[in-house]
Amino acid sequence: MAASDTSKFKVAASGVIPFAFVIVLMLYIFGPGGDLLDFGIALPEITIEKVDFIDSEIQATVRNTGSIPVQVVVADVNDRIQPAAVEPDGYLERYETTLVRIPFEWNEAEPYRIGITIDDGTRFEKEIESAAFALEFTLDLAIFFAIIGTYVGIIPVMIGLLWLPFIKKISKQKYHFFLALTAGLLLFLAIDSIEESIEVSNENLANSFNGALLVSTVVVLSFLALYYVGNKIISKSDSLHFSKPVAIGLMISIGIGLHNFGEGLAIGAAVGIGSIAFSTFLIVGFALHNTTEGIAIAAPMSRGKLMIGKLAIMGLIAGSPAIFGAWIGGFAYSPFTSVVFLAIGAGAIFQVILVLLKWIQKENDGNLSTLSVVSGFAIGMLVMYFTSIFV
Amino acid sequence: MIVLLAVTIGLSTIIVFPSFSEAESELKTFVTHSGKVIRTTGEVIDPLYTVSEVEFDPMEYLREFNYGKVSKLEDGTTVREYTIIAEDDKVMEVSPGVFYNVWTYNGTVPGPTIRATEGDLLKINFINNGSKEHTIHFHGIHPAEMDGVFEIVGPGGGKFVYEFEAGPVGVHPYHCHVMPLEEHIVHGLYGVFIVDPKEGREPADEMVMVLNGLDTDFDTENNFYAANTIPFYYQHHPIQINTNELIRVYVVNMVEFDPINNFHLHGNLYTYYPTGTDLVPSFYTDMITLSQTERGIMEFEYTYPGKYLFHAHKVEFSEKGWVGMFLVNDNANSDESSVKYGS
């Protein structure tokens, strides 16, 4: 007993001692009196994350994204100083936000530059291309977004699913072509999501969020999480009364659903910031684009029994997140959540691609380099590229 | 998946939704110039209507003239001796909450208004207590070695005595002439030098307005503009004057980065003497435009009492602080008209 206690203690100690040294090292570098890292002056930084135009008032959400506290002291519109209210107050610790309310008779569809000056006199600015009333939640608008989401998400995916009987009847070779095509389509979507999320973070998030690293971290984490859960679903598909094709179809639907959530966000935000022409464009483009997503779900499921009900559920899983995305994008847009959701979508799609490739490999006796697979993959990418030109 | 989602949502919530600092619960109301009423439990940031509590008092500066320590030479020439100390380490609240490093002559931006009569002998004892090299370059007529360009005065107590005869008549700027010149000027090393004619000018309520700008974030564009340094100051502290009393404003444009500045007076016109060197006015107008260091003397009287604006009609400048107000009091017998300047 005593001997085993001693050895446990030794194990614990051998684990803790290096850790203690780490703490000592950190204290030495950062602790009081540690002037080793005293390089120059920390510069203050704030980011104007969001600007809302409401009745006779412009509201800016300001975050302290630097490493030292700041005080918001002056607000301006188009570089002309304006009186303003700061709620709750102008003192911001790191990452704290405040709302700057500037009374201003703004004009619809005109561009504005909103500036905030902090206590050391540095001015920060955000440019709004076209002023439009911030969307307020109304039932009508919520229904409008739901209809848009249905047009963009659910209906095109359902149309895509209609290719299922066709895919069911074709030869094994052609079937592999369609599976590879699906993987190609999805890879395109994943890259598209990453590009979009990095763009949103570059335009709206402060450098201190490390946009590209945030995106890659979330992509990898969501990939790993879905990879683990996905394998669980597939391995348990028998006991859960799923066939393996259904399980794969489900994974694809979830992945596409997360992606469509991102598309919904984009549409909602575009309507929210008043770019009507742009939002119409997005709606038409995404709708066209998303029919191909139906094929992606239909292809693996065509090898199972034809179950209209299950297929419809898949269509809903893949399509309906566009509605939720539009709601969030329109009513509660936040660049940070957009970046995170788009990145989760990308990670989810990568996982689906991996599952699909494994599935083709298994079906194809371990061979991925057949003409049908390679050409399917390439054509999938090309189809997406050409439909994306419409967006 | 669920864990991931929970962690993501948790993190997003923390980052996205404001972690409000302790809110003040008191409800305040403020009315903007457009008449819009804003109710807020927060803090009002408003350099236009909030009284700025700054070290430098533009109201005191407005009518303060430094005649120096006066003595006479045997031949009857008046000698005026001034001491000007340069510093460059002062951080001053220039607008509510905005802290800017001003470089000063005698602790203020602009420096003291030096005043003499044509023909006086001036001795300006200059001490540089700053951490950089500085000089004083006077506009006007003087020997080359008194020009403050090549006679660099070292930091940490360096000394130089500028000696010259006051002239010509008029209003002139003085400023540091050390390179990079723009930096030294925009930080505040300038002031006004008035030379009165021997016969004096008509009695008046006299004041000095230096039109200047502050580039608080060093991007070679001014963030604030003002008459006498503090943005919007004379808007919430109107300058009190009397009806039917001659007002004489010595106006000097020291703005950097912008090619012009100007002065527009409301409800009135003024006679204008460019540079003040000619005793006959050149214009009768309500608007003059001034390039860098252009200056002149404006004279006017108000007949009707009330509030009158004056501001840059380059509206950008007035909306960034170069705007003020005269409060004209109906006061037929004022004492100030008996003040004799130039003594």
Side-chain angles (χ1 to χ4, degrees):
Chain A
M1 261 318 249
S4 105
D5 272 359
T6 322
S7 73
K8 268 186 189 165
F9 176 76
K10 276 183 177 166
V11 171
S14 61
V16 167
I17 287 168
F19 192 65
F21 276 113
V22 172
I23 292 172
V24 170
L25 177 70
M26 290 296 134
L27 280 177
Y28 176 71
I29 296 175
F30 297 109
D35 51 5
L36 193 65
L37 289 183
D38 189 14
F39 306 117
I41 298 158
L43 287 177
E45 188 192 326
I46 58 166
T47 305
I48 303 167
E49 288 193 341
K50 207 169 94 162
V51 175
D52 285 322
F53 293 84
I54 61 169
D55 188 28
S56 308
E57 193 173 314
I58 300 174
Q59 297 188 339
T61 307
V62 177
R63 185 190 297 277
N64 175 5
T65 43
S67 54
I68 51 173
V70 299
Q71 180 90 29
V72 169
V73 292
V74 180
D76 70 72
V77 176
N78 292 343
D79 202 18
R80 309 292 184 261
I81 294 167
Q82 302 293 334
V86 189
E87 292 173 358
D89 61 48
Y91 181 80
L92 298 178
E93 289 284 356
R94 191 173 192 194
Y95 286 122
E96 212 180 347
T97 63
T98 195
L99 184 73
V100 180
R101 298 173 56 201
I102 312 168
F104 196 88
E105 300 295 333
W106 52 275
N107 303 316
E108 209 151 353
E110 285 181 14
Y112 286 96
R113 282 178 296 126
I114 308 303
I116 300 290
T117 302
I118 59 171
D119 46 342
D120 77 340
T122 315
R123 178 175 174 273
F124 297 85
E125 184 181 272
K126 186 174 179 79
E127 190 161 357
I128 308 301
E129 282 172 20
S130 166
F133 273 102
L135 295 182
E136 277 178 61
F137 183 84
T138 61
L139 195 60
D140 282 353
L141 201 57
I143 292 169
F144 169 74
F145 276 137
I147 292 169
I148 295 292
T150 308
Y151 274 126
V152 171
I154 300 171
I155 294 175
V157 173
M158 294 292 190
I159 291 173
L161 286 175
L162 293 178
W163 269 292
L164 190 131
F166 166 74
I167 297 169
K168 232 175 153 54
K169 287 192 187 92
I170 57 182
S171 70
K172 196 178 175 184
Q173 288 260 300
K174 284 179 188 141
Y175 173 58
H176 290 153
F177 169 82
F178 275 103
L179 283 179
L181 179 89
T182 301
L185 303 175
L186 290 171
L187 181 63
F188 186 93
L189 285 184
I191 295 169
D192 187 36
S193 295
I194 290 175
E195 194 193 359
E196 179 74 17
S197 61
I198 287 177
E199 207 170 290
V200 172
S201 88
N202 283 349
E203 280 172 18
N204 300 290
L205 287 186
N207 293 338
S208 66
F209 280 106
N210 293 329
L213 288 178
L214 171 70
V215 171
S216 14
T217 305
V218 175
V219 167
V220 171
L221 286 183
S222 77
F223 171 83
L224 289 175
L226 288 165
Y227 181 70
Y228 179 76
V229 176
N231 279 347
K232 274 268 149 68
I233 293 178
I234 293 171
S235 66
K236 284 187 181 169
S237 58
D238 293 336
S239 56
L240 290 169
H241 308 292
F242 283 165
S243 63
K244 202 167 177 185
V246 173
I248 289 175
L250 180 65
M251 292 312 302
I252 293 176
S253 305
I254 293 171
I256 289 175
L258 284 166
H259 177 81
N260 282 347
F261 182 82
E263 290 183 355
L265 279 178
I267 292 170
V271 174
I273 61 172
S275 19
I276 303 301
F278 180 58
S279 54
T280 312
F281 214 45
L282 283 181
I283 290 164
V284 174
F286 281 145
L288 195 69
H289 197 64
N290 288 355
T291 54
T292 53
E293 292 170 358
I295 305 177
I297 301 168
M301 287 189 67
S302 67
R303 279 310 181 253
K305 278 185 287 177
L306 182 56
M307 290 162 291
I308 304 293
K310 280 211 174 82
L311 213 53
I313 290 170
M314 301 289 180
L316 282 177
I317 292 173
S320 60
I323 299 174
F324 298 104
W327 281 338
I328 292 175
F331 298 129
Y333 181 78
S334 145
F336 181 80
T337 39
S338 298
V339 169
V340 169
F341 278 116
L342 284 165
I344 290 177
I349 292 170
F350 282 127
Q351 184 268 340
V352 173
I353 293 168
L354 188 72
V355 171
L356 266 176
L357 290 180
K358 274 184 170 174
W359 172 254
I360 299 171
Q361 200 175 23
K362 206 179 144 205
E363 282 253 313
N364 214 13
D365 306 323
N367 193 358
L368 273 180
S369 57
T370 57
L371 181 65
S372 53
V373 173
V374 172
S375 63
F377 210 106
I379 290 169
M381 293 284 289
L382 282 172
V383 166
M384 288 305 265
Y385 175 72
F386 286 113
T387 59
S388 77
I389 290 174
F390 293 105
V391 179
Chain B
M1 168 92 173
I2 291 160
V3 175
L4 176 80
L5 216 68
V7 168
T8 314
I9 291 170
L11 267 177
S12 329
T13 314
I14 292 165
I15 295 181
V16 171
F17 293 98
S19 48
F20 288 130
S21 57
E22 279 170 39
E24 299 165 46
S25 54
E26 187 197 342
L27 189 72
K28 279 170 252 163
T29 304
F30 80 99
V31 184
T32 71
H33 52 309
S34 63
K36 168 97 175 147
V37 178
I38 290 277
R39 274 172 238 288
T40 178
T41 53
E43 193 180 306
V44 175
I45 49 169
D46 182 9
L48 283 70
Y49 295 95
T50 309
V51 175
S52 31
E53 288 178 21
V54 288
E55 282 175 70
F56 171 62
D57 185 353
M59 203 51 92
E60 196 185 310
Y61 174 81
L62 187 72
R63 292 183 173 105
E64 194 172 61
F65 303 101
N66 185 342
Y67 294 96
K69 205 174 86 191
V70 183
S71 58
K72 294 259 182 197
L73 289 181
E74 282 177 9
D75 65 356
T77 307
T78 303
V79 180
R80 294 183 189 270
E81 204 173 332
Y82 310 84
T83 301
I84 293 185
I85 301 168
E87 284 170 312
D88 49 30
D89 60 347
K90 192 170 183 172
V91 175
M92 190 170 88
E93 189 176 12
V94 291
S95 180
V98 179
F99 293 86
Y100 177 68
N101 171 215
V102 285
W103 298 3
T104 59
Y105 286 132
N106 287 1
T108 60
V109 177
T113 301
I114 293 174
R115 193 155 182 180
T117 305
E118 190 182 19
D120 290 352
L121 187 64
L122 306 185
K123 282 177 87 170
I124 295 127
N125 302 306
F126 176 57
I127 302 166
N128 179 5
N129 280 345
S131 59
K132 295 172 177 67
E133 295 172 332
H134 299 300
T135 63
I136 309 177
H137 160 68
F138 286 88
H139 286 218
I141 299 168
H142 47 243
E145 62 273 19
M146 293 295 143
D147 201 35
V149 175
F150 307 110
E151 306 74 24
I152 300 296
V153 183
K159 288 189 172 99
F160 191 89
V161 181
Y162 298 93
E163 271 189 66
F164 54 91
E165 193 183 300
V169 162
V171 51
H172 312 291
Y174 67 84
H175 58 85
C176 181
H177 213 299
V178 170
M179 298 294 175
L181 188 51
E182 196 171 65
E183 185 187 21
H184 285 251
I185 292 178
V186 84
H187 271 88
L189 286 171
Y190 47 80
V192 176
F193 168 44
I194 296 171
V195 182
D196 291 312
K198 282 191 174 123
E199 62 277 21
R201 293 185 192 269
E202 204 186 331
D205 180 3
E206 295 201 332
M207 49 193 81
V208 176
M209 288 193 199
V210 177
L211 311 184
N212 51 3
L214 297 167
D215 172 21
T216 56
D217 52 8
F218 315 107
D219 60 355
T220 67
E221 275 176 32
N222 289 309
N223 296 57
F224 300 95
Y225 293 85
N228 300 340
T229 308
I230 309 301
F232 304 106
Y233 191 87
Y234 297 121
Q235 174 140 326
H236 37 71
H237 298 84
I239 299 169
Q240 309 255 345
I241 58 173
N242 298 310
T243 50
N244 303 313
E245 180 179 19
L246 183 66
I247 309 297
R248 182 175 297 127
V249 182
Y250 296 92
V251 57
V252 181
N253 179 34
M254 289 306 298
V255 80
E256 276 302 326
F257 310 123
D258 301 290
I260 57 147
N261 200 339
N262 46 35
F263 194 119
H264 166 55
L265 185 66
H266 277 224
N268 212 341
L269 276 80
Y270 47 84
T271 49
Y272 185 66
Y273 305 78
T275 317
T277 45
D278 198 335
L279 301 181
V280 180
S282 300
F283 308 112
Y284 183 54
T285 180
D286 62 0
M287 168 77 193
I288 50 158
T289 293
L290 302 157
S291 167
Q292 277 78 14
T293 67
E294 258 197 277
R295 69 281 186 184
I297 301 172
M298 304 175 2
E299 288 182 348
F300 53 90
E301 272 182 44
Y302 273 97
T303 311
Y304 309 109
K307 284 191 275 188
Y308 297 92
L309 277 183
F310 58 91
H311 60 93
H313 225 300
K314 164 71 180 146
V315 178
E316 177 194 354
F317 299 177
S318 59
E319 294 194 327
K320 288 161 93 172
W322 166 193
V323 56
M325 222 186 301
F326 285 114
L327 180 59
V328 184
N329 299 309
D330 196 357
N331 190 353
N333 306 309
S334 111
D335 296 335
E336 288 190 66
S337 57
S338 63
V339 173
K340 177 87 173 82
Y341 290 92
S343 50

